[in-house]
Amino acid sequence: MSDALTQLKERLKRVTDLERVGRILNWDQQTMMPPGGSEHRAEHLATLRGLQHELLRDEETGRLLDALGPLEESLEPDSDDAALIRVARRDYEKAARVPTELRAEMTRAAAQARTVWVQARAESSFEQFLPALERNFELRHRYVECFEGVEEPYDILLDDFEPETTTAEVRAIFEELKGELIPLIAELRNDDVDDSFLRGNFPVESQEQLANEVVYLFGFRPDTWRLDPTEHPFASGAGVDDIRITTHYDPPTMKSFFSAMHEYGHGLYSHQLPRELERLPTGGACSLGIHESQSRLWENLVGRSKPFWNCFYPRAQDAFPEQLKDVELGDFLAGINRVRPSLIRIKADEVTYGMHVILRFELEQDIINGRVAVRDLPSAWNEKMSEYLGVDVPDDAHGVLQDTHWASGQIGYFATYLLGTVMSVQISQKVLEDVPDLEEQIEQGEFAALRDWLGEHVHRHGRKFSPQETLRRATGATIDTKPYLAYLRAKYGAGVAA
Amino acid sequence: MSDALTQLKERLKRVTDLERVGRILNWDQQTMMPPGGSEHRAEHLATLRGLQHELLRDEETGRLLDALGPLEESLEPDSDDAALIRVARRDYEKAARVPTELRAEMTRAAAQARTVWVQARAESSFEQFLPALERNFELRHRYVECFEGVEEPYDILLDDFEPETTTAEVRAIFEELKGELIPLIAELRNDDVDDSFLRGNFPVESQEQLANEVVYLFGFRPDTWRLDPTEHPFASGAGVDDIRITTHYDPPTMKSFFSAMHEYGHGLYSHQLPRELERLPTGGACSLGIHESQSRLWENLVGRSKPFWNCFYPRAQDAFPEQLKDVELGDFLAGINRVRPSLIRIKADEVTYGMHVILRFELEQDIINGRVAVRDLPSAWNEKMSEYLGVDVPDDAHGVLQDTHWASGQIGYFATYLLGTVMSVQISQKVLEDVPDLEEQIEQGEFAALRDWLGEHVHRHGRKFSPQETLRRATGATIDTKPYLAYLRAKYGAGVAA
């Protein structure tokens, strides 16, 4: 029996290794690779993904899992080994339904589509991107068809990013939010706040220095982390001791600073995953929703808060004197927290952000359920932007082409951004309960207690439990929109700088 | 039959993909990876190498090769498909003898040993390195034992780097060279040449700019190439359109410039490999000897030649005015070509270089054949340095610890440096026959004809033929020490600047 467990672990370690190698290749592609390498990269990623899939879905995996049934029943359900068998069975049963060739082709097509999208976005040409996007959606249709007796086809896609979470559950949460957010945006938008100092001349070298400074203050260490520039910020890495975060330096804005804090949150999660489960599936991240709860916590609940800027604002003024030297801290806080509907999700304020996600979540289902054709996405997008946020989309680069996800085959991913945002508030409120002087610590530039709390209550569970069970263990409750909405009202209703 | 060929190709493409992914991981480890990632990296490389090995040695590979016997016999031996079956059979028969676990362990131990070596070298502590080095040698003993009826155990190791070349053949060439080089060094050493201007202040930014400039002049293009700093220069890449070269910037010297030219030669070979055989084993490099013939050609036969510096010297003077503004071209040429026995292989001049390689080739055999214990390597090294080059080794960092190869498990590799150096002269003389105005072109900074000749006569064969057959096709002859020795005598006997 324990021999079967050892064999299962050895097999799963190879699966994990291949996945992590793929992550390094993705990181490389977006930070280092000469552009000419994209065709090689698509093939290499497809080969890795195909082999990973084959190892996982091999009948030998099934045989080992069968043999381990009695052991699993005899173990404490919370034990590492019981969780491992449970998670591995789940992964195996999904993988066994999907032919390797389809899995590899999904990877290859996505890598190719990403290259096409970069160009199409630069030229704001949806036409140019359409064939690659249609191919990605077509492959997801084929993927969904591998599963039988599916109530909602979209469930299959969502589950790859937020496991054990159904479309119906997310839809209920999002409907609740939608009903509240639309009037809240109307109420809280403050077009008269002057944030003109946030556009101008932010020298890239100063941005680089400041981004490095803030993540270092948070807990980034160069022996195990990297921070690099990229076009579309993301976090990646090869394991707990090889964490790679990125940001995008855009000279007229200081957006890179907020991206760096956001990606730090992702990086810290990966860095504090359970070391003893390294190379096992249970040692990975729980879900993208939980991941996003970490990044949003550092970006917004720390990084747009008054205590943090009480500590850090003099540094920002030093770095960008031309922009900030005559701006009072209160005006700065009001500026970086100004509520105003806008075109680009990753630049959206905390109040309007949710509607960007809900729009994408709905459009993905419309396509997967055949209600909207891929070629009609731009007009569907633009209509919803007008309806939900009251903005007119001037061109597809500022509309349907803005995100990399559909190009990268990440269909079913967007919902996790808002789930994570909602959960980030629940988590931060629980931290405040347990660490009552947290705000004072943040004002002193002390983040160890926050890091440790997150490590102890969220990160250390890895992927042992479902996202909702993980959240429940951390906060005592499953996902709940009320704290999030109350937080928005409290922060933005009172006036941010108050 | 053609179905078996298609299946074989699909299988070998995956094998090639895994190998190339491993190369990118190696590149990453030496240029980008945070040091903490080394344990993850060792596991990931071991997993990739193990899977690559399994795919290759799988009985299905053997079955396909058997089925393809009749097709192979019916094909022109020079055809792509005949060469593919031949090369694949050779790879398969070697791999089939080696258990996957041993192959993976060789990779894992080497990745770990490299990390230990970096530290040991920094502290000049052979003791610290010894256990890892003993482990690497022990694993090579086990590797050699996988093969039966081996006349010389070292043949097995050498063949991994220089296929179809025996120890006896190399020994005969090296004995010939040794007999000539030792008196030649005594005759040509010119201790009275003043090269003091080559040590001083070469600002790293200027070195970077000049290295980029020279490789750009040679043919580097940023859409398909990268040049990065590293500790120990090497060339790598993921395929013909993703070429990565490195150099080491050392502020007191301009050695980075020569390394960049050297690695450019490797990069160009990889860049001009047969595109139509991409992802097949025949599309790879022929051998490390042939590879080195390319790097040494660009570094020495171009990069230390009078025509090149007639073109480029003003640029070097502009870049390093403090060092070079008052140095005449003739004195510069004499300085960069000064013959003088020294401690470090990669800094050795063209005349003494061979003895550094012969020393390593002999020591490797002494260990593999049990004549020297690994722990006695430092004293054996130091004795030979004294005997062959008349220099005293002050510490192991400047002796046995200087190269990365043994740490990286590349035992049997060194000989290819001298084989390549000898072949580089044969090749360059053939280029001169075919492109009689080559030197004038180089004086004009024109390298297209040289690149094209090498592409047409060397690179395009990929790995279709043995190294010696490749050389024969390029030059009309197999390896011959006479042109090399005559070149040394002509260049250094006449006075370099003459």
Side-chain angles (χ1 to χ4, degrees), chain B residues 249-310:
Chain B
Y249 300 107
D250 175 35
T253 79
M254 59 176 289
K255 181 76 186 79
S256 66
F257 187 78
F258 295 94
S259 292
M261 294 193 289
H262 180 97
E263 303 306 338
Y264 171 80
H266 285 306
L268 182 67
Y269 184 16
S270 302
H271 186 52
Q272 296 196 141
L273 283 168
R275 198 170 276 272
E276 70 281 9
L277 303 180
E278 181 71 15
R279 297 180 71 211
L280 292 174
T282 39
C286 174
S287 76
L288 290 181
I290 297 289
H291 233 309
E292 194 72 6
S293 74
Q294 302 304 295
S295 55
R296 300 288 285 177
L297 187 150
W298 287 91
E299 177 191 358
N300 291 330
L301 294 140
V302 174
R304 292 182 198 272
S305 75
K306 201 172 160 189
F308 170 71
W309 287 104
N310 277 339

Side-chain angles (χ1 to χ4, degrees), chain A residues 14 17 21 27-28 32-37 40 43-44 47 51 54 223 226 238-242 244 278-279, chain B residues 14 17 21 27-28 32-37 40 43-44 47 54 223 226 238-242 244 278-279:
Chain A
R14 295 179 111 188
D17 287 348
V21 169
W27 172 86
D28 178 84
M32 300 294 159
M33 189 185 80
H40 303 310
E43 294 297 345
H44 295 170
T47 290
L51 284 168
E54 263 171 34
D223 58 335
R226 287 185 62 93
V240 293
D241 288 327
D242 183 351
R244 307 191 183 197
E278 181 71 14
R279 297 181 71 210
Chain B
R14 294 179 112 188
D17 287 348
V21 170
W27 173 86
D28 179 83
M32 300 294 159
M33 190 185 80
H40 303 309
E43 294 299 345
H44 295 169
T47 290
E54 263 171 34
D223 58 334
R226 286 184 64 92
V240 294
D241 289 327
D242 182 351
R244 307 191 183 197
E278 181 71 15
R279 297 180 71 211

Side-chain angles (χ1 to χ4, degrees), chain A residues 252-385:
Chain A
T253 80
M254 59 176 288
K255 180 77 185 78
S256 66
F257 187 78
F258 295 93
S259 292
M261 293 192 289
H262 180 98
E263 303 306 337
Y264 171 79
H266 285 306
L268 182 67
Y269 184 16
S270 302
H271 185 52
Q272 297 196 140
L273 284 168
R275 197 170 277 271
E276 70 280 9
L277 303 179
E278 181 71 14
R279 297 181 71 210
L280 292 174
T282 39
C286 173
S287 75
L288 290 181
I290 297 290
H291 234 309
E292 193 72 6
S293 76
Q294 302 304 294
S295 56
R296 299 287 285 178
L297 187 151
W298 286 91
E299 178 191 356
N300 290 331
L301 293 141
V302 173
R304 292 183 197 272
S305 76
K306 200 172 163 192
F308 171 71
W309 286 105
N310 276 339
C311 162
F312 207 79
Y313 191 53
R315 276 299 304 126
Q317 285 183 304
D318 281 353
F320 308 121
E322 191 181 328
Q323 296 293 134
L324 302 180
K325 108 173 152 292
D326 300 326
V327 178
E328 297 291 326
L329 173 57
D331 295 329
F332 178 78
L333 279 167
I336 63 169
N337 285 294
R338 173 173 167 163
V339 178
R340 179 177 38 183
S342 61
L343 289 164
I344 304 295
R345 176 183 60 83
I346 61 166
K347 295 182 181 167
D349 59 79
E350 288 185 274
V351 182
T352 58
Y353 184 82
M355 295 311 299
H356 289 270
V357 174
I358 291 171
L359 172 152
R360 288 155 175 79
F361 173 69
E362 292 176 350
L363 286 180
E364 284 183 343
Q365 291 172 73
D366 286 343
I367 291 178
I368 293 300
N369 296 325
R371 292 189 295 261
V372 169
V374 179
R375 65 167 55 254
D376 296 329
L377 259 177
S379 57
W381 179 286
N382 297 353
E383 272 169 40
K384 271 195 199 283
M385 280 300 286

